[in-house]
Amino acid sequence: LKGSAGIVGLDHAGQLAHRMEDLVDLLVEDKRAPAPEMLELLSSAARLLRELTDMDGGGNAAALREAHA
């Protein structure tokens, strides 16, 4: 998803996926249980990523990209 998102015009989704990966990498390096706020941040980011990439089921990826710009 990260690398190919830009190819199909989902630049924001690709950027979000990269930042999520950065956060997970930091959590892994820390080797401690993540704070609840970090887990909530990742959960919220995952929901937003799902919205940004929803191209069926009535989803409109272009409108979502503009709304989150």
Side-chain angles (χ1 to χ4, degrees), residues 11-26:
D11 296 323
H12 289 94
Q15 291 170 2
L16 178 58
H18 278 289
R19 298 300 72 81
M20 290 171 70
E21 181 182 38
D22 292 343
L23 180 55
V24 169
D25 287 344
L26 289 172

Side-chain angles (χ1 to χ4, degrees), residues 47-59:
R47 284 191 299 273
L48 178 57
L49 188 59
R50 193 173 308 117
E51 289 177 16
L52 288 170
T53 58
D54 184 14
M55 301 282 289
D56 53 37

Side-chain angles (χ1 to χ4, degrees), residues 23-61:
L23 180 55
V24 169
D25 287 344
L26 289 172
L27 293 172
V28 168
E29 289 173 13
D30 196 31
K31 296 183 173 121
R32 291 184 288 171
E37 296 84 8
M38 290 294 206
L39 296 176
E40 180 55 38
L41 178 61
L42 282 171
S43 179
S44 295
R47 284 191 299 273
L48 178 57
L49 188 59
R50 193 173 308 117
E51 289 177 16
L52 288 170
T53 58
D54 184 14
M55 301 282 289
D56 53 37
N60 186 336

